[in-house]
Amino acid sequence: MPLLRVQLDTDPTIARRVLLLHRQGKAHHESREAARQQVWRQGRTPAGEPVFVGVTNGRRHLRLLYDVEVYPDTVP
């Protein structure tokens, strides 16, 4: 299945919280759901759960990064 990289705008407080939960083997449900919704908005269908892969290193535009498996396009 193809992967779609999703970037979600965030603030430093949320980014730290998501990283902490990830290191504890847990998930930040709100950002995972936001990643799933972003995939739908891009016209793709999620095939699995969003997987947290990190945080951008920007000062102005801090973003959470998720990879989401999507179903391949089925255009005939």
Side-chain angles (χ1 to χ4, degrees):
M1 294 274 172
L3 285 177
L4 183 65
R5 170 78 38 103
V6 176
Q7 296 186 17
L8 304 172
D9 290 332
T10 192
D11 60 65
T13 304
I14 298 294
R16 279 191 294 272
R17 175 88 174 126
V18 173
L19 280 170
L20 177 64
L21 287 170
H22 178 70
R23 288 178 183 147
Q24 294 173 349
K26 300 177 183 176
H28 185 257
H29 298 289
E30 292 84 4
S31 64
R32 260 176 53 174
E33 185 58 31
R36 185 178 294 112
Q37 292 302 316
Q38 182 67 22
V39 169
W40 282 110
R41 280 192 293 276
Q42 292 182 22
R44 304 299 297 268
T45 303
E49 289 294 319
V51 176
F52 177 73
V53 292
V55 178
T56 60
N57 200 14
R59 291 183 187 189
R60 288 186 177 174
H61 303 289
L62 190 61
R63 293 186 175 114
L64 301 173
L65 303 174
Y66 280 90
D67 280 346
V68 184
E69 271 190 289
V70 295
Y71 287 106
D73 291 338
T74 55
V75 178

